[in-house]
Amino acid sequence: MLAYRHGFHAGAAADVFKHSALIHCLRHLVQKEKPCLFVDTHAGAGSYNLAEGFSAQSGEWKNGIGKIAAGGQVNGPLPAMLEKYREICGAGTGADAGVYPGSPEIMARFLRPEDRLVCFELHPGDFDSLSERFNSSEVRAEARKEDGLAGLLSLLPPPSRRGLIFIDPSYEIKDDFDTIPGMLQKALKRFSGGMYIVWYPLLETYPAEDFAERLMGLYRGNRCRAELHHADKTAPPANSPRGFYGSGLVIFNPPWTLRPELENTLPALAALYGNPGKWLLQWEEKA
Ligand code: SAM
């Protein structure tokens, strides 16, 4: 039984990081006329009211989107990537009872009539919220209560050969660290030209460096790895059972414009979230 509920962590610093990068990639993809397939393999509830339920209970968003909504504490204006993120979150950035968009809702906001969005979620409670949003009103978007990794393979390659795949597991099952590289390898065989964004946690109890390097080794085309450390590995927050001290993204086929954006944004996020200078960006071009 899955215990993780993203509501507790919606709007926290890890969301700010992954969602602002996701938004940048989506903006790039929809510049071209060709239809796109968007896939969210681990979708969560779709959107959240930060003033209620799990989000209000944990209050994690206050140190995440809460700081961005307040204008940030960075020196000077927010980097463009974060400014765009704040704009997309709109009224859902805090305790005003607006809708804070999770990744499915963010992707839905970029859907054009010719595009398609498929979201996978296994938790019954989160699936109900997700399907209420998508299976009723949005013909171009659908929610499926299926394993996102197996489901993804059945969708590849998209007929237009253009797509963005967002892979954002909770890693509550340790096997995820093994199944994700295996599944990615299969997905890349079917659709090597896709844009893939994989999120991973930095945990005191697991060698995330090995995992990230393994992911980077799966693909020889353009790829990047970005990390944001909220704390030192040896001193994770006391209330974090698995020693969560930050998170990372591996992206295959990122838009080239993402590199300067990350170079601006990562130092700003590290300063904002209390660990100045603790970030990493590795950018590899096709050999
Ligand atoms: N992507 C969401 C966002 O950014 O708003 C957050 C997703 S949350 C980190 C991970 C979700 O994956 C959880 O809601 C969990 O129930 C779900 N999940 C776990 N294993 C899954 C699987 N094999 N297939 C689909 N969903 C899964």
Side-chain angles (χ1 to χ4, degrees):
M1 179 64 190
L2 295 167
Y4 179 93
R5 304 303 298 272
H6 194 65
F8 283 106
H9 311 292
D15 257 17
V16 174
F17 173 37
K18 65 179 124 165
H19 290 166
S20 54
L22 170 66
I23 289 167
H24 185 87
C25 293
L26 287 163
R27 291 179 68 207
H28 171 86
L29 269 181
V30 298
Q31 276 170 10
K32 285 208 177 138
E33 275 178 21
K34 266 191 165 186
C36 282
L37 169 71
F38 302 139
V39 183
D40 198 334
T41 58
H42 297 72
S47 60
Y48 306 86
N49 181 341
L50 302 180
E52 287 178 357
F54 299 140
S55 305
Q57 220 173 301
S58 77
E60 284 191 17
W61 62 269
K62 291 180 189 161
N63 286 321
I65 180 71
K67 286 190 172 176
I68 303 282
Q73 313 287 313
V74 290
N75 294 328
L78 280 177
M81 213 170 96
L82 294 180
E83 196 55 72
K84 203 72 205 164
Y85 167 68
R86 179 163 65 168
E87 189 188 313
I88 296 278
C89 292
T93 50
D96 297 337
V99 172
Y100 171 79
S103 51
E105 182 62 35
I106 288 174
M107 285 169 150
R109 292 187 189 180
F110 284 87
L111 274 180
R112 303 162 300 174
E114 63 274 27
D115 298 328
R116 178 181 180 206
L117 167 63
V118 184
C119 303
F120 295 94
E121 174 54 47
L122 280 181
H123 192 285
D126 281 353
F127 176 76
D128 284 350
S129 312
L130 190 67
S131 59
E132 213 170 282
R133 162 70 175 87
F134 290 123
N135 287 347
S136 50
S137 59
E138 275 280 3
V139 286
R140 295 159 301 159
E142 60 180 298
R144 295 190 188 175
K145 197 174 177 182
E146 293 170 25
D147 172 25
L149 300 178
L152 168 65
L153 293 179
S154 71
L155 295 169
L156 300 182
S160 68
R161 300 294 195 275
R162 256 178 103 68
L164 184 151
I165 292 107
F166 190 60
I167 302 171
D168 181 23
S170 45
Y171 297 89
E172 64 184 310
I173 303 163
K174 232 179 180 175
D175 281 0
D176 280 345
F177 288 106
D178 287 322
T179 48
I180 284 154
M183 179 280 303
L184 259 175
Q185 207 163 19
K186 288 184 190 156
L188 284 163
K189 265 196 189 140
R190 293 180 189 208
F191 181 37
S192 62
M195 197 181 286
Y196 294 80
I197 304 178
V198 188
W199 181 86
Y200 58 92
L202 297 172
L203 302 172
E204 192 192 20
T205 51
Y206 188 85
E209 301 80 9
D210 297 353
F211 181 67
E213 275 166 28
R214 208 171 145 204
L215 291 181
M216 287 290 278
L218 292 175
Y219 186 58
R220 290 288 157 218
N222 296 345
R223 60 206 185 277
C224 72
R225 167 186 175 189
E227 280 179 11
L228 181 66
H229 299 207
H230 314 301
D232 288 328
K233 183 174 182 173
T234 50
N239 59 357
S240 169
R242 293 192 293 168
F244 179 79
Y245 66 96
S247 66
L249 295 171
V250 164
I251 308 180
F252 298 148
N253 297 314
W256 65 267
T257 49
L258 184 64
R259 184 177 190 168
E261 289 292 347
L262 284 173
E263 282 167 352
N264 267 335
T265 304
L266 284 165
L269 283 175
L272 197 59
Y273 296 132
N275 213 350
K278 285 284 184 177
W279 54 275
L280 172 154
L281 180 60
Q282 181 186 352
W283 195 276
E284 306 281 347
E285 306 271 331
K286 187 177 178 173

